Amino acid sequence: MDTITNFIHYVDSFDIDYISWVLWVFYPILLTFLLPAFIGLFLYLSALMLFIYKQRMKLKAAYDHDFWDGARKTLSVFWTAQAKIWHGYEVEGLQHIPDQGPALIIYYHGVLPVDLYYVTTSIILEKNRLIHLVGDKFLFHIPGWQTMMEVFNVTPGTVSSCIDVLKNGHLLSISPGGVREGLFGDENYSIIWNKRCGFAKVAIQANVPIIPMFTVNIREAFRTPGWARAWLRGIYERTRLPIVPIYGFFPVKLKTIFGEPILPVPNTSPEELAEKVKAAIESLIRKHQKCPGSILRALLERLPFFR
């Protein structure tokens, strides 16, 4: 009874006139900001669905061939639509990715490697090929991700397993900098590989070309705070836990660049080959990326006359 009495007392004390006045004051503000946001979201979803609808025949053929192939292509259409609409996404140098046969893609790792997702889905749709991905071990401990890891062939990647993937004629992608480069890099796009050259050993033993890859403005799409990079680097080095806060998902212009393939030369050491690939990616950064990166500039680059 006390609860009912208290509730009745609360209702009686509720000033309807005051609430009506507050709503009257703020109603124009709510309409001014919320309604355009709602319309914008609705238009975005409409564009997304129409893009997917345009791909319906490709999806039907994929499902008729193989269920998981159909599932991959369905997700690829979603990701490709997201990339084009949200980031004005483009790919340059896609001809360097072979239509058949193995190749090793080495890429610069952003805070979140959304560009790798976009590249993977673009190659699935454009070349009907699946990239095998080497992912950090913590990914395999995220609940609910196991099926996605299996369908898209994401593995932790040892030297021997990577060689096997390439010798079986597949595409393989590796980021030597990995999560360390993603979380603790900065807007100057410095490469953080810590003398890693395992990928070079893989390329030499499998005798496959290495294709350098860099995505313009990838660090402007997502950011990590400078204070977090300074304070949490030591914790990461001891525990390998990626606990650095991330913010962003800004609709900046993204453009992936594939460089010229680099072939392993006989009698070249893994360290020498790794340095050559690193220099190639640094060259792509110098040529295509304005440093230090700027979120505002990257947003303006969505407009043709700002590029």
Side-chain angles (χ1 to χ4, degrees):
M1 289 297 294
D2 290 341
T3 302
I4 296 174
T5 302
N6 290 336
F7 178 74
I8 293 172
H9 176 72
Y10 173 77
V11 171
D12 288 340
S13 64
F14 204 69
D15 192 338
I16 299 298
D17 291 335
Y18 174 73
I19 296 299
S20 299
W21 179 82
V22 169
L23 290 175
W24 177 79
V25 169
F26 287 100
Y27 185 71
I29 299 175
L30 292 174
L31 282 182
T32 300
F33 292 100
L34 291 183
L35 189 57
F38 175 79
I39 295 298
L41 177 62
F42 182 76
L43 290 173
Y44 175 83
L45 293 175
S46 298
L48 188 69
M49 294 307 298
L50 288 174
F51 184 92
I52 295 166
Y53 181 76
K54 285 174 63 177
Q55 308 294 322
R56 66 191 186 282
M57 297 309 297
K58 287 184 181 179
L59 297 180
K60 182 179 184 303
Y63 277 106
D64 289 343
H65 170 68
D66 176 76
F67 176 81
W68 288 118
D69 184 45
R72 276 191 293 266
K73 287 187 175 174
T74 300
L75 285 176
S76 295
V77 169
F78 271 100
W79 276 100
T80 301
Q82 153 69 27
K84 289 183 180 296
I85 297 170
W86 192 250
H87 291 296
Y89 183 68
E90 298 179 65
V91 180
E92 181 179 307
L94 194 60
Q95 70 275 11
H96 296 315
I97 305 296
D99 294 331
Q100 297 180 4
L104 177 58
I105 300 170
I106 301 298
Y107 64 97
Y108 176 88
H109 200 297
V111 175
L112 289 181
V114 290
D115 55 331
L116 182 63
Y117 313 152
Y118 298 160
V119 162
T120 299
T121 56
S122 295
I123 290 177
I124 287 174
L125 296 177
E126 296 295 328
K127 292 182 175 283
N128 199 29
R129 300 199 66 185
L130 178 63
I131 302 177
H132 290 239
L133 312 172
V134 173
D136 197 278
K137 292 180 180 178
F138 83 89
L139 294 173
F140 302 90
H141 299 289
I142 299 177
W145 281 35
Q146 189 62 39
T147 299
M148 185 170 64
M149 299 288 111
E150 293 172 357
V151 171
F152 281 91
N153 288 332
V154 183
T155 62
T158 63
V159 170
S160 60
S161 68
C162 289
I163 291 172
D164 289 340
V165 167
L166 293 168
K167 285 188 173 181
N168 286 326
H170 299 296
L171 300 172
L172 177 68
S173 71
I174 298 175
S175 172
V179 174
R180 179 186 287 108
E181 185 172 77
L183 296 181
F184 302 103
D186 58 29
E187 291 71 54
N188 290 308
Y189 286 83
S190 301
I191 291 179
I192 306 174
W193 285 8
N194 286 13
K195 297 183 178 180
R196 287 187 173 180
C197 59
F199 72 92
K201 295 177 183 178
V202 168
I204 291 171
Q205 293 186 45
N207 192 29
V208 298
I210 297 175
I211 302 172
M213 168 186 145
F214 171 71
T215 299
V216 178
N217 295 328
I218 188 60
R219 297 204 74 89
E220 278 58 74
F222 292 91
R223 287 280 180 92
T224 54
W227 61 264
R229 295 196 296 268
W231 292 359
L232 300 175
R233 177 72 180 266
I235 296 175
Y236 173 80
E237 297 297 348
R238 289 192 296 271
T239 65
R240 292 296 187 270
L241 293 175
I243 56 175
V244 179
I246 296 171
Y247 66 96
F249 197 37
F250 301 112
V252 298
K253 176 68 178 179
L254 294 182
K255 183 177 182 179
T256 294
I257 314 290
F258 288 108
E260 294 281 345
I262 300 170
L263 295 171
V265 178
N267 301 320
T268 300
S269 69
E271 290 78 12
E272 291 171 333
L273 182 57
E275 282 299 318
K276 188 174 182 180
V277 175
K278 181 180 178 182
I281 295 179
E282 288 175 333
S283 177
L284 292 177
I285 294 172
R286 286 195 302 272
K287 183 178 179 180
H288 299 281
Q289 179 67 53
K290 295 177 182 177
C291 293
S294 163
I295 294 173
L296 177 59
R297 184 174 62 235
L299 288 169
L300 291 175
E301 287 174 2
R302 295 293 304 274
L303 306 175
F305 48 85
F306 275 99
R307 296 178 194 171

